[in-house]
Amino acid sequence: MKLLILLIALATSALADRTVTFAWDAAEDADSYTLYINGVPAGTTAATEITVQIPDGRTNANVTAVNIAGESEPSATLSVPPAPTIPKGFRISKIVRTTTATLK
């Protein structure tokens, strides 16, 4: 099955404080999902999205599906670049980046 990780920064303020929402397609038989940021659990949810703050600099994110049988292998890594420098007079309203992986 395919797992989609979607990174959305909805406003310039979200870029400044590095708050991002990760969303993915549901995995069959998953009871919950764990988001990993740089290899460390950053949150667990039963939903197919989670909003977290990520550290400065390049950040790597993965998601796993969890059920009574255990935890899946991590999804493909989504590498989130450092926050861009926004030129004076410009405003970024939306950044979208996706990656897919097959869960086992």
Side-chain angles (χ1 to χ4, degrees), residues 9-93:
L10 294 175
T12 304
S13 61
L15 291 174
D17 71 7
R18 303 284 285 170
T19 299
V20 295
T21 298
F22 293 87
W24 51 89
D25 291 337
E28 188 175 333
D29 298 325
D31 295 324
S32 65
Y33 303 91
T34 301
L35 174 70
Y36 289 85
I37 300 294
N38 296 333
V40 178
T44 300
T45 181
T48 56
E49 71 176 47
I50 190 169
T51 300
V52 297
Q53 282 190 304
I54 59 175
D56 289 333
R58 183 160 299 278
T59 301
N60 295 314
N62 305 85
V63 173
T64 60
V66 181
N67 65 20
I68 196 165
E71 188 171 19
S72 72
E73 291 294 317
S75 66
T77 298
L78 175 66
S79 185
V80 181
T85 301
I86 302 169
K88 188 174 182 173
F90 286 87
R91 183 174 73 89
I92 297 176
S93 61

